[in-house]
Amino acid sequence: MGIESTYEIHQNAYIKLILHASKHKTSAVNGVLLGRISGDSAVVEIVESVPLFHSQIGVLPPLEIALIMIEEYYCDKGLSIVGYFHANERFDDSELGSVAKNIADHIYKYFPQAAVLLLDNKKFETLSKEGKDRSPVMQLYTKDASRSWKLVGSDGSSRLKIKQPSANVILLDYISSGKWKDIIDFNDHLDDISKDWVNTELFN
């Protein structure tokens, strides 16, 4: 496989994904990661994220529509799809399921350094109670030599970093203030096209 990639996620991209999962706590949710390969070819910089769905997340037609729209919008900004985010429906489910793997496989075809980020519910719960951890509340999966998605290390923290160290502090503030209510995903946009799937105003 050569040099193993490391991943650096920007604060807003990170927070947006977790707010999406917080809004739909009883559903599986997913999203895509947008970014670029940094000056060092071993570093994938995750600059943006787009929340996708909170229901019927494996249904192909709306997923294909969403991916085309996302690619077209962010291509002009010099970003491409570099990975996939998933949060499981059940709190005690820490496995990367078949739907998540299938969508991630599609992204991998176009970007072989693709990452999959799976929300770590237990780590997120601990952060919500104690508020001390600065590491991502996500597990990192990448493809190994056998082309299978494998969890990187115990929690992936050595190869997944948040660009801004204070991201979790800001995340907790947004959750306590109810900002998660403002997040728009593609389910919302397809139901009402006036709703902004880019979430332009979310952090203003």
Side-chain angles (χ1 to χ4, degrees), residues 8-13 33-36 45-49 79 82:
E8 183 180 66
I9 185 167
H10 288 217
Q11 176 175 288
N12 285 359
L33 314 175
L34 288 300
R36 56 187 167 238
E45 188 179 8
I46 302 166
V47 179
E48 259 296 356
S49 65
L79 302 177
V82 298

Side-chain angles (χ1 to χ4, degrees), residues 60-78:
L60 272 180
L63 176 64
E64 289 173 343
I65 291 168
L67 292 178
I68 290 169
M69 290 176 66
I70 291 166
E71 286 172 344
E72 287 179 350
Y73 180 86
Y74 283 101
C75 179
D76 292 341
K77 301 179 184 301

Side-chain angles (χ1 to χ4, degrees), residues 159-196:
R159 283 173 55 197
L160 175 65
K161 307 280 187 190
I162 309 174
K163 188 175 179 69
Q164 296 84 358
S166 60
N168 279 342
V169 175
I170 295 169
L171 168 65
L172 292 177
D173 181 58
Y174 282 160
I175 289 173
S176 64
S177 66
K179 192 172 256 307
W180 49 269
K181 297 174 186 174
D182 300 330
I183 201 89
I184 302 294
D185 66 11
F186 258 90
N187 273 134
D188 302 319
H189 175 73
L190 293 174
D191 288 340
D192 178 357
I193 60 170
S194 70
K195 292 187 175 180
D196 177 23

Side-chain angles (χ1 to χ4, degrees), residues 63-133:
L63 176 64
E64 289 173 343
I65 291 168
L67 292 178
I68 290 169
M69 290 176 66
I70 291 166
E71 286 172 344
E72 287 179 350
Y73 180 86
Y74 283 101
C75 179
D76 292 341
K77 301 179 184 301
L79 302 177
S80 56
I81 295 175
V82 298
Y84 174 75
F85 170 80
H86 193 91
N88 286 322
E89 180 178 1
R90 297 197 333 269
F91 177 84
D92 61 349
D93 184 359
S94 59
E95 298 296 317
L96 192 66
S98 58
V99 170
K101 288 177 181 176
N102 288 341
I103 298 172
D105 283 344
H106 175 76
I107 293 170
Y108 176 84
K109 288 178 189 174
Y110 301 95
F111 188 75
Q113 289 166 275
V116 175
L117 302 181
L118 179 67
L119 182 65
D120 187 327
N121 286 315
K122 292 180 180 177
K123 194 171 182 181
F124 182 33
E125 182 184 51
T126 301
L127 175 69
S128 301
K129 290 177 178 176
E130 300 176 5
K132 296 176 181 177
D133 198 345

